[in-house]
Amino acid sequence: MTRSKSWSASLEDSVFALGAAARECQRAYQAAVLAKAHVDLDRVRLLDGNVALRAPGYTAEQEPHLTALSRIGDVQLKAQFQLKALYEDAARAYAHGANWAVRQVQHGLQPARVEVRADGDGRYLLDEWMPTLALDRYAEAAALESARRTYERCLSAGATAVEISQQAYIADHEAGQMHQALETAAGVPDAAYAYGVLAEGALRFALNTRSTRE
């Protein structure tokens, strides 16, 4: 007879699975970025040969090499954007899920798995901000809080960029601010993942601390 897992082991598995999902999305996104770089028109030597296109109502010349690379680039760019969105969602779910799990343990609760809000299609609905974890005796407490602040700084930058973009008129200095904010906001998925890794370690610490008290 197979022995069922304890709630604590099941909770750790739940957080680890969120991290594994984020890593898969991270790798897929990174692969898409590399694939797109291989067909960068500024780096590929184009061949000069043309073909004659005969279609109903017109005849035209086409450079097949250039056309193929352009079409491939369009597909890969779309995939890159989609995979980055997946990576951001998965990384944020990892960060928020691990943070939630630590707080549940600290409050004396025994959840067997992470609870994440979702919409009707199963897409994550995540809060914009995360509570600070009180882990005074945790060796990585300072690094964890620093990671949380970096993550929230990236989120705040994204909100700033959206706010500026929605203005009826954008002054030159505001355009510069928006560009800088967008660059910072691009770091959301990596910042969320980095926090999740540290928070997963904090969960193990919280569970061990609780077990020694019981």
Side-chain angles (χ1 to χ4, degrees), residues 57-204:
Y58 76 93
T59 299
E61 290 186 356
Q62 182 193 76
E63 298 177 64
H65 192 201
L66 172 61
T67 300
L69 289 174
S70 297
R71 289 172 177 171
I72 292 170
D74 288 343
V75 171
Q76 290 181 326
L77 185 60
K78 183 178 180 180
Q80 184 176 316
F81 283 135
Q82 291 175 332
L83 287 169
K84 184 176 182 181
L86 286 177
Y87 172 34
E88 181 170 324
D89 285 346
R92 293 192 64 217
Y94 180 33
H96 286 263
N99 179 282
W100 178 91
V102 174
R103 287 184 286 115
Q104 300 306 299
V105 173
Q106 290 181 320
H107 292 160
L109 301 175
Q110 298 183 351
R113 61 189 62 82
V114 173
E115 293 182 8
V116 185
R117 291 187 302 115
D119 62 16
D121 295 322
R123 289 188 292 264
Y124 297 131
L125 296 175
L126 302 166
D127 295 331
E128 288 299 314
W129 315 112
M130 284 191 305
T132 300
L133 295 175
L135 295 162
D136 296 336
R137 293 186 294 119
Y138 180 46
E140 299 294 330
L144 180 66
E145 177 58 15
S146 177
R148 187 191 68 83
R149 291 177 179 175
T150 298
Y151 170 56
E152 293 200 342
R153 183 165 60 250
C154 292
L155 287 177
S156 179
T160 297
V162 170
E163 182 179 349
I164 295 175
S165 69
Q166 292 177 341
Q167 295 177 182
Y169 171 76
I170 301 176
D172 289 343
H173 73 280
E174 291 175 319
Q177 291 175 353
M178 183 174 68
H179 179 72
Q180 184 175 5
L182 286 171
E183 287 187 342
T184 301
V188 165
D190 285 342
Y193 179 75
Y195 179 88
V197 171
L198 290 170
E200 186 175 334
L203 174 62
R204 288 190 290 271

